[in-house]
Amino acid sequence: MSHLPAIISDLALILMCAGLVTLIFKRLGQPLVLGYIVAGFLAGPHFSFTPTVADTGSIQTWADIGVIFLMFTLGLEFSFKKIFRMGAGPIIAACAVMFCMMSLGSIVGHLFGWSSMDSLFLGGMLAMSSTTIIYKAFDDLGMRQQKFSGEVLSVLILEDILGILLMVVLSAMAVSRNFEGQDLLFSLLKLLFFLILWFIVGVFLVPYFLKKSARWMTGETLLVVTLGLCFALVVMASKAGYSSAFGAFMMGSILAETVEAESIERVVGPVKDLFGAIFFVSVGMLVDPAVLTEYALPIALISLTVIVGQMVFGTGSFILAGHSLKVAMQCGFSLAQIGEFAFIIATLGISLHVTSDFLYPVVVAVSVLTTFLTPYMIRAAQPAYGIIVRFIPAPVRRRLDDRGHHAVASASPWRSLLTALVMQVSIYLTLSIATTFIILGALLPFLRWLLTPAVAGVVCALLTIAVVSPFLRAIVMRKNHSEEWQTISRRGRLPHGVLMATFVVRYLIAAALVFYLVHSLSPLQAPWAIFVHAALALLMVAGMVASRRIKWASIRLERNFVQNLRLREVAAERQQARPGYARRLPAHNLHMARLRLPDGSRMAGHTLRQLDFGRRDGVLVAAIIRGESRINIPGGNVEVYPGDYIEAIGDDDSLATLEKRISGDVQAMAVNNAEHYLTLRRIVITDDFPLCRHRLIESGLRDTYHCMAVGFEGSDGNIDTAEASRTIMPGDILWVVGEEDDVALLLRMNRTQAI
């Protein structure tokens, strides 16, 4: 009899227990996160009345994977562009509330006599509210559409990214046990370097890779590829000294800017749910009733600290951000809980062996208490506002209530220009430094093996300067002819002089990197050589500025980056501007997908002509599958019913539009997959084709040959939907769909090869 590994039996116990408990919590209308924690407690070693997991170490490994998936999907919902669109208000509120709550948590920890590291991590755990729990509470209370909920969700997005930074800082402090400002500044600069590097390189490469491999991407391959990218960056982050959660979040935020983001969220969702559940169950396993009893007073006081702290400091932070008192109180009261990020930070403390064993179950208990109180706190905001305004003088109350109604002044040219200059110098300098060290580490040893050391150094320096020259030119010349620059320049000699000073500073930054390469790799090492190398660096930067070839290389690089960064936006704008893609289909992204019409759909009983999928959604219906039967090439009078599977032809965006319309699940299918009866082919019409010079309506393509004309491909690569009156002419490129034998007959009749 074969022996079953402990990890299998443990997994069975965990999933069975989690399934039963979460069903009960779902029936009671409570957050599933709490159900997972309770399930973990029941299956854990501290509850002896039920079976217990045998190997908690393996479960912890799976829980670590769960953290990776949670942070990856969190990154998919995040966009760096959202931060810039939010303005200063949410940023001010998020930073203020996190600073206040972290300070308050650290003070409470010290008052209990806990160690500095326990107090520091406790402050980090109390600094962020639970995105998952607040989303759920707003949905349950029907408040997602209210003004204050949008402000809360904006702050939660920022708290998530600031939480990643906080984890990195806590890790650095925990490892070094050093709180000096110099080390902290170095850690932040190092973090900023890797943040910019990974994001810029990711936006350059990942969308290009996904675009080139789109024709082979099904749901299965998309899942495997994206998770491969996620774990690759997880490994890189770990090698750089950062947590796996940071790498997972970064890859998620990179993929969030691609047009495949929604599809990735859909295919990754079930995997995230599974490992996320295991993570929260593992949290529950660490709940020790003995510890909870011993630390009952700290648990109660910390819970009170979270609630009162968010009521006071949360409200104050939103007032500081420019909101009225009523909106600020609604926002502050909504944030009065901790959740998944507190568990992740607690897990970080345990993995680094810097926090005490009691801290984890204490924080879990605080999370459970504050989560149960969340809906009541949200409801209590408005009555509390009614009570407080009675004690506020009328002039002060009017001033507080008028906040948030004033128009936001547009940014000054100086502010816009300086912000752009700082960003461009940070980005291009990061790319230049990273490229330099990569080439020096990979190419220089090979050149020294191949050539003499002196010649190898000169060759490597020249190659490196040539590669980074587009980045260095962008540092010096970018924004020098912008509208803001011209506006400021016309204001007088002093503003113009300040502008020239910014140019000189950027020129010297670029020259400094060139000087480093020349001076470190030059065979001249005499004391006077430093002046020669400095002059040479200044001249080489001047050559970069004057070179038109480098200029256009720099422009192309930035243009490609911006295009990749805006891929998702452009697709959304095109979808809104051209409903149904204006009856045109992009030929090179055309594929077939299967969608299920859900039970109770209002589309049931309507004909395809009435539903008008072509004009409204930009897709063509190739078949309807009903039970064991299927209707290939259905006519306009065919009705659809609940449970029908619709096989539709279109591109990713049009199929996503149709999916939203019918609220069904999409399972992408390969066009030539053997399990499907239809094939989609492209035919170049010749003079010998029997249907040539016939109108589609009289060609017999549908009735005689049992095929359907998808459309005619134009010179721009798009497909014009076939009109019944269109005449088939020699040289036309006709896309048809039908069963493989019927399409093969058309190909033989055409005496050409389908491409």
Side-chain angles (χ1 to χ4, degrees):
M1 182 175 178
S2 61
H3 174 69
L4 188 67
I7 190 172
I8 303 298
S9 57
D10 288 345
L11 182 62
L13 174 63
I14 287 173
L15 294 181
M16 284 294 295
C17 191
L20 293 174
V21 173
T22 51
L23 284 175
I24 296 173
F25 272 68
K26 190 73 173 177
R27 176 67 179 85
L28 297 175
Q30 298 299 324
L32 292 184
V33 172
L34 297 180
Y36 292 138
I37 293 174
V38 172
F41 171 70
L42 296 177
H46 304 294
F47 190 78
S48 58
F49 300 101
T50 57
T52 302
V53 295
D55 185 5
T56 55
S58 298
I59 301 303
Q60 185 58 47
T61 301
W62 285 35
D64 293 340
I65 299 175
V67 173
I68 291 173
F69 280 109
L70 286 173
M71 300 310 299
F72 178 62
T73 53
L74 186 64
L76 284 173
E77 299 170 2
F78 174 82
S79 173
F80 281 95
K81 297 194 293 292
K82 290 180 182 178
I83 295 180
F84 300 104
R85 292 176 187 156
M86 287 175 185
I91 298 176
I92 293 173
C95 293
V97 72
M98 286 186 66
F99 174 78
C100 292
M101 291 303 298
M102 187 169 183
S103 301
L104 189 61
S106 298
I107 292 172
V108 170
H110 283 294
L111 290 177
F112 287 136
W114 296 349
S115 67
S116 297
M117 200 60 67
D118 284 337
S119 301
L120 181 65
F121 270 78
L122 176 64
M125 296 172 201
L126 304 190
M128 287 167 292
S129 302
S130 170
T131 305
T132 303
I133 293 169
I134 293 176
Y135 265 68
K136 177 70 166 58
F138 283 161
D139 279 334
D140 293 343
L141 298 174
M143 293 183 173
R144 282 288 295 274
Q145 304 305 319
Q146 296 191 19
K147 177 184 177 181
F148 82 93
S149 66
E151 302 297 334
V152 172
L153 297 179
S154 297
V155 169
L156 289 173
I157 290 173
L158 290 168
E159 283 191 352
D160 290 337
I161 183 63
L162 292 174
I164 295 293
L165 302 180
L166 178 61
M167 290 175 62
V168 174
V169 173
L170 289 175
S171 299
M173 289 182 172
V175 172
S176 63
R177 301 279 180 157
N178 197 333
F179 295 83
E180 293 183 3
Q182 183 178 356
D183 294 335
L184 180 59
L185 178 62
F186 176 76
S187 297
L188 290 175
L189 290 176
K190 180 184 174 184
L191 170 65
L192 183 63
F193 175 82
F194 282 108
L195 191 70
I196 295 174
L197 177 63
W198 286 335
F199 183 73
I200 300 300
V201 174
V203 172
F204 263 117
L205 299 181
V206 172
Y208 177 80
F209 169 72
L210 293 178
K211 181 179 178 181
K212 290 299 182 182
S213 57
R215 60 184 299 186
W216 301 289
M217 283 290 185
T218 62
E220 180 181 354
T221 54
L222 183 64
L223 173 65
V224 174
V225 168
T226 53
L227 292 187
L229 292 172
C230 171
F231 279 91
L233 197 52
V234 164
V235 173
M236 292 182 191
S238 179
K239 296 292 185 182
Y242 298 113
S243 66
S244 58
F246 176 61
F249 181 87
M250 280 303 304
M251 182 50 68
S253 63
I254 292 169
L255 292 171
E257 308 298 343
T258 66
V259 293
E260 294 85 1
E262 288 84 359
S263 300
I264 294 171
E265 286 185 55
R266 186 168 56 248
V267 298
V268 172
V271 184
K272 182 264 294 186
D273 292 340
L274 172 63
F275 285 101
I278 294 175
F279 167 70
F280 289 116
V281 169
S282 70
V283 170
M285 289 181 182
L286 296 177
V287 176
D288 187 352
V291 174
L292 300 184
T293 303
E294 181 181 354
Y295 290 89
L297 180 60
I299 290 172
L301 292 179
I302 293 173
S303 300
L304 187 63
T305 299
V306 172
I307 295 171
V308 176
Q310 289 289 5
M311 289 169 57
V312 176
F313 295 116
T315 299
S317 299
F318 279 95
I319 291 177
L320 184 65
H323 295 288
S324 65
L325 177 61
K326 181 179 180 179
V327 171
M329 289 186 66
Q330 290 175 310
C331 295
F333 280 50
S334 299
L335 298 177
Q337 83 291 120
I338 59 174
E340 60 275 6
F341 239 114
F343 304 149
I344 294 173
I345 292 178
T347 303
L348 177 66
I350 291 176
S351 63
L352 295 174
H353 305 290
V354 295
T355 56
S356 303
D357 294 338
F358 67 83
L359 191 58
Y360 200 117
V362 165
V363 170
V364 172
V366 171
S367 175
V368 171
L369 287 174
T370 54
T371 298
F372 274 121
L373 294 174
T374 295
Y376 304 102
M377 291 297 299
I378 296 174
R379 291 194 190 99
Q382 197 152 342
Y385 169 76
I387 295 173
I388 289 178
V389 293
R390 299 176 188 172
F391 303 96
I392 300 177
V396 177
R397 184 175 69 249
R398 283 195 298 270
R399 188 166 183 177
L400 289 174
D401 288 340
D402 287 341
R403 295 173 65 85
H405 297 291
H406 303 291
V408 179
S410 58
S412 66
W414 272 114
R415 180 178 177 183
S416 300
L417 179 62
L418 292 177
T419 301
L421 290 178
V422 171
M423 288 184 61
Q424 79 178 40
V425 171
S426 302
I427 291 172
Y428 286 111
L429 185 61
T430 299
L431 289 174
S432 300
I433 294 174
T435 304
T436 297
F437 283 107
I438 289 173
I439 293 177
L440 292 180
L443 184 61
L444 184 59
F446 172 74
L447 290 176
R448 284 177 173 169
W449 172 79
L450 189 65
L451 307 169
T452 62
V455 176
V458 173
V459 172
C460 187
L462 293 176
L463 288 175
T464 306
I465 292 170
V467 172
V468 302
S469 58
F471 305 144
L472 298 180
R473 190 191 187 282
I475 291 175
V476 178
M477 298 301 295
R478 185 78 172 84
K479 303 295 289 186
N480 287 356
H481 301 287
S482 64
E483 183 179 346
E484 296 89 348
W485 185 285
Q486 299 298 333
T487 300
I488 297 171
S489 182
R490 290 192 292 266
R491 292 181 176 178
R493 298 179 63 179
L494 181 60
H496 182 73
V498 176
L499 291 177
M500 294 308 298
T502 65
F503 171 80
V504 172
V505 170
R506 288 179 286 142
Y507 193 100
L508 293 176
I509 290 174
L513 183 61
V514 177
F515 172 78
Y516 168 78
L517 286 168
V518 173
H519 188 65
S520 59
L521 298 177
S522 172
L524 299 177
Q525 295 299 323
W528 52 265
I530 188 172
F531 300 104
V532 176
H533 295 157
L536 186 59
L538 293 172
L539 290 174
M540 294 181 77
V541 174
M544 296 175 194
V545 171
S547 173
R548 296 186 63 85
R549 179 173 296 180
I550 296 176
K551 172 184 177 180
W552 289 113
S554 176
I555 292 174
R556 281 196 300 271
L557 285 172
E558 183 164 343
R559 185 178 298 161
N560 290 338
F561 174 77
V562 173
Q563 287 176 350
N564 287 347
L565 191 62
R566 297 191 69 248
L567 280 175
R568 195 172 178 183
E569 289 181 8
V570 171
E573 291 170 359
R574 189 188 305 125
Q575 184 68 20
Q576 294 174 357
R578 298 170 58 193
Y581 273 74
R583 296 179 62 76
R584 293 170 67 82
L585 304 173
H588 301 294
N589 196 23
L590 203 62
H591 64 282
M592 196 150 35
R594 179 181 292 179
L595 304 95
R596 183 182 183 275
L597 201 68
D599 297 336
S601 172
R602 288 180 293 180
M603 293 183 181
H606 291 78
T607 64
L608 293 177
R609 182 174 289 109
Q610 292 171 328
L611 296 173
D612 199 9
F613 291 130
R615 290 187 182 276
R616 296 188 59 178
D617 306 291
V619 302
L620 293 175
V621 176
I624 295 176
I625 303 171
R626 185 172 300 148
E628 297 298 325
S629 64
R630 58 186 292 129
I631 306 171
N632 286 340
I633 321 299
N637 295 324
V638 174
E639 297 178 343
V640 295
Y641 298 101
D644 283 356
Y645 286 93
I646 299 173
E647 289 188 353
I649 299 173
D651 67 353
D652 290 337
D653 294 325
S654 58
L655 290 170
T657 301
L658 180 60
E659 178 195 13
K660 293 177 182 177
R661 186 179 170 196
I662 69 173
S663 300
D665 295 328
V666 176
Q667 181 181 359
M669 56 180 285
V671 172
N672 292 320
N673 198 315
E675 72 180 31
H676 298 286
Y677 301 99
L678 298 177
T679 183
L680 180 68
R681 302 301 291 269
R682 178 177 180 266
I683 304 175
V684 180
I685 303 300
T686 66
D687 236 340
D688 301 320
F689 192 50
L691 307 185
C692 188
R693 297 185 174 86
H694 288 76
R695 293 191 304 162
L696 279 174
I697 194 171
E698 60 190 20
S699 65
L701 185 64
R702 181 188 293 266
D703 300 328
T704 304
Y705 300 100
H706 310 294
C707 295
M708 182 176 71
V710 174
F712 291 85
E713 182 177 337
S715 58
D716 59 356
N718 288 332
I719 295 177
D720 291 315
T721 305
E723 301 288 347
S725 59
R726 171 72 181 263
T727 301
I728 304 173
M729 299 298 294
D732 283 346
I733 301 176
L734 177 64
W735 284 75
V736 298
V737 63
E739 295 190 11
E740 188 166 359
D741 292 339
D742 296 325
V743 175
L745 176 61
L746 286 178
L747 297 177
R748 289 195 298 271
M749 291 168 55
N750 190 48
R751 297 182 182 177
T752 187
Q753 182 180 4
I755 301 175

